[in-house]
Amino acid sequence: ALGGREAADIILWRRPKVSASILGAATAAWALFEVAEYHFLTLACYAAMIAMLTFFIWTNASAFMNLPVPRIPETILSERTAKQVILGLHRRLTWFVHRLYAIACGEDIKKFIMTVVSLYIASVVATCFSSLTLLYLGQYSATNIFSASRDCRSLAQWTE
């Protein structure tokens, strides 16, 4: 239900180092984008400039110090992996569009009204917060909800 055993372990903090790393990265991203008011493109450009400067200095210094020139692999991500990720995203997007189409065709009027109202509420909430803040709060809330439900289930097992 949570995307597989490994994803569930991370979300439910059964792997605390990985979960803490993800939470730390999300907090750092939130701080950069919300508090420091960086934009993604600006940050990506700075990262590219730092990487280029590092390789430039390393390459020029290696000539003086008789060190090997840094080698960058031709493909960091294999073509097969990239295709699998894109096909997975395409499958989910197609499912979502088909689901909205089926609801919009009016097969179930109650579901149609609930979907329209939910989308409207989501749009109103989205205008009050940035997308990154909503994503961060959603992940934090989901972690607490799943953790609480796990505690309730384990408590129920002990009382039986």
Side-chain angles (χ1 to χ4, degrees):
L2 295 176
R5 180 174 169 81
E6 187 154 335
D9 288 348
I10 292 169
I11 291 171
L12 296 174
W13 286 79
R14 292 183 188 138
R15 296 179 57 194
K17 289 182 180 179
V18 175
S19 298
S21 299
I22 291 172
L23 184 62
T27 303
W30 175 81
L32 281 172
F33 293 127
E34 295 299 316
V35 178
E37 296 181 2
Y38 269 97
H39 296 284
F40 177 74
L41 186 57
T42 306
L43 197 61
C45 289
Y46 284 160
M49 287 188 296
I50 290 171
M52 288 176 64
L53 182 63
T54 302
F55 282 113
F56 177 78
I57 292 171
W58 189 353
T59 302
N60 288 324
S62 65
F64 293 116
M65 299 180 194
N66 293 328
L67 297 172
V69 176
R71 301 199 43 90
I72 301 173
E74 288 185 25
T75 57
I76 295 173
L77 184 65
S78 71
E79 184 178 347
R80 179 175 177 237
T81 305
K83 283 182 180 179
Q84 287 176 342
V85 169
I86 290 170
L87 286 174
L89 290 173
H90 180 262
R91 244 184 282 121
R92 289 182 182 182
L93 181 63
T94 303
W95 176 86
F96 182 71
V97 169
H98 281 284
R99 194 77 185 122
L100 284 180
Y101 177 75
I103 292 170
C105 286
E107 295 172 2
D108 185 5
I109 192 71
K110 182 180 176 184
K111 193 179 286 187
F112 172 74
I113 292 171
M114 289 300 295
T115 302
V116 170
V117 169
S118 298
L119 289 171
Y120 176 74
I121 290 171
S123 70
V124 169
V125 170
T127 60
C128 299
F129 300 97
S130 72
S131 299
L132 190 60
T133 302
L134 285 175
L135 183 66
Y136 184 77
L137 291 174
Q139 196 279 333
Y140 180 75
S141 300
T143 301
N144 287 336
I145 290 169
F146 289 128
S147 179
S149 68
R150 182 188 63 184
D151 291 342
C152 290
R153 273 189 258 126
S154 64
L155 182 63
Q157 290 173 353
W158 283 100
T159 57
E160 290 179 351

